[in-house]
Amino acid sequence: MKRFEWRDRIHALDAEADCEQIVRILSAHEFPWDIEQALGLALYRTYAVPSVGELLGRTGEFTERTQRRYDDTALILNDILEHGFGPGRGRDALRRMNQMHRAYDISNDDYLYVLSTFVVMPVRWLNDYGYGWRRLTDHEIAAGTNYYRKLGKHMGIKDIPGTYAEFRELMDSYEHEHFAYSDGGRAVSDATLELMVNFYPAWQRPLVRPFTKALLDEPLIRAFGYPEPSTAWRKISSGALKLRARIVRLMPPRTEPRFARQSPNIRSYPDGYDPSRIGTFPQGCPVPHGMITEEIAATGSRVPAPGQGLAPASASEALTTTPETGEPEPTER
């Protein structure tokens, strides 16, 4: 297989009709590590919006159960990407995400902003920052935009932008207007950084922390109240990622897909999981039959007890990785 064969296959597909397939190739074959980092940074940016950061801080999910919350987010988004919006695991994951969101008073503007970060940050990481082994093409950017427009519609989000340029303008203007310090946002940021640092061996952690903070732009640094990273650390971090990109460019293309669920950083469900049995179950949200849960005293929400990620009778079904097909019905918040 030639180095640019995946790119050529993508360009034989339609950016709208085949957007799910294109984003799946980009995420699992062309840029699995890069897009994982970019989407992690996308979510991280949302903590700097006080209405989002304070909500996440109040739930305690990102501060008290950081690893589980990280895993739940990654796995739900993974199943939607891997299996699509049709019947099966993808739709189950989408329904589970909407159930959790529905329990909170989240404005449409905040939903739009979060969606915009998912559209924009992979492009910024790969193209604008120069961390990709190649640049995304306009065709691929259009496909990514269409994919997240589709996701937004299934989340019941209104007034979704139609183009990448409109998403970029929305994200930049929303951050300019809303980025500000909040205790909740800072607490969630600290907990997330601590989790990310702990993904690495102990001897590397003193370097990982300043390396990671040096990747945060000045508006983010100010919003979280962190000291400004030194020029040296900014050059080291950026230079290391650009060097990595040059090395990856020389490597053979990935023939087997690598999905987020395969990451060693996801640790909460060693025996597998069913997307309908992970995440939180806020008050009033139905819990799968027979699943043992634990209550979060601060919010009254319930979470699966250890070992409850799979229903014993559905283990083989839950572990399948065959992509589903078909068009789902609209899913409302």
Side-chain angles (χ1 to χ4, degrees):
M1 188 176 193
K2 297 180 180 180
R3 191 65 180 103
F4 289 88
E5 188 167 331
W6 284 118
R7 184 201 61 184
D8 295 341
R9 291 188 188 183
I10 287 171
H11 280 261
L13 300 171
D14 185 87
E16 184 170 0
D18 302 317
C19 64
E20 293 179 44
Q21 185 178 351
I22 292 173
V23 172
R24 196 175 297 125
I25 292 172
L26 292 172
S27 301
H29 289 278
E30 288 285 74
F31 307 103
W33 186 85
D34 293 284
I35 290 181
E36 182 180 336
Q37 306 312 305
L39 294 182
L41 184 57
L43 278 175
Y44 188 81
R45 299 188 75 82
T46 68
Y47 310 160
V49 175
S51 56
V52 177
E54 285 294 308
L55 172 62
L56 296 176
R58 285 196 304 272
T59 67
E61 286 294 291
F62 277 84
T63 53
E64 304 299 325
R65 303 172 61 251
T66 313
Q67 178 72 61
R68 182 67 68 89
R69 192 64 179 85
Y70 172 90
D71 294 352
D72 291 344
T73 301
L75 293 174
I76 285 173
L77 292 173
N78 174 92
D79 279 7
I80 297 171
L81 170 72
E82 186 174 357
H83 301 285
F85 296 101
R89 287 182 69 95
R91 183 179 287 180
D92 290 346
L94 180 61
R95 183 178 295 113
R96 184 80 274 274
M97 179 173 67
N98 285 340
Q99 286 175 338
M100 288 187 281
H101 288 164
R102 193 183 299 124
Y104 304 103
D105 185 18
I106 305 172
S107 71
N108 192 70
D109 286 348
D110 278 352
Y111 274 115
L112 279 172
Y113 167 65
V114 175
L115 188 67
S116 76
T117 67
F118 277 69
V119 174
V120 174
M121 289 310 299
V123 182
R124 291 220 166 137
W125 181 277
L126 295 167
N127 289 14
D128 300 347
Y129 301 160
Y131 300 156
W133 67 266
R134 69 169 177 85
R135 293 174 59 85
L136 289 174
T137 66
D138 290 343
H139 181 75
E140 291 166 333
I141 293 171
T145 302
N146 289 329
Y147 175 83
Y148 284 108
R149 278 176 46 79
K150 196 171 185 178
L151 175 61
K153 289 176 182 177
H154 287 296
M155 292 174 66
I157 301 175
K158 301 176 178 62
D159 303 320
I160 299 173
T163 67
Y164 173 76
E166 291 172 346
F167 271 110
R168 183 182 59 209
E169 172 59 27
L170 185 154
M171 178 180 137
D172 290 342
S173 61
Y174 205 75
E175 291 183 350
H176 180 75
E177 182 178 354
H178 293 280
F179 266 15
Y181 178 85
S182 69
D183 290 339
R186 172 62 185 260
V188 174
S189 172
D190 288 346
T192 302
L193 277 174
E194 189 65 25
L195 176 70
M196 294 170 62
V197 169
N198 287 330
F199 287 156
Y200 295 85
W203 66 271
Q204 294 181 7
R205 292 171 192 169
L207 300 177
V208 173
R209 194 181 306 276
F211 184 99
T212 302
K213 284 187 176 181
L215 296 176
L216 307 181
D217 56 47
E218 290 183 11
L220 266 183
I221 290 290
R222 290 195 302 270
F224 292 134
Y226 291 140
E228 176 67 26
S230 69
T231 301
W233 269 113
R234 288 206 180 277
K235 289 182 178 180
I236 289 169
S237 297
S238 178
L241 290 173
K242 289 178 179 179
L243 176 60
R244 175 193 173 275
R246 293 174 183 171
I247 295 171
V248 172
R249 187 180 178 89
L250 301 176
M251 297 171 64
R254 181 181 293 275
T255 56
E256 295 297 321
R258 179 190 180 278
F259 291 102
R261 61 177 171 77
Q262 297 168 301
S263 170
N265 294 333
I266 294 180
R267 303 166 178 174
S268 300
Y269 307 100
D271 299 321
Y273 68 97
D274 184 316
S276 67
R277 296 173 67 91
I278 64 176
T280 59
F281 294 84
Q283 289 179 315
C285 180
V287 175
H289 179 71
M291 187 174 77
I292 302 171
T293 62
E294 299 173 346
E295 183 176 346
I296 302 174
T299 63
S301 297
R302 307 198 71 85
V303 294
Q308 294 295 303
L310 272 179
S314 63
S316 60
E317 176 186 350
L319 289 173
T320 183
T321 59
T322 303
E324 301 286 352
T325 59
E327 283 298 315
E329 299 173 358
T331 306
E332 298 294 336
R333 284 204 304 271

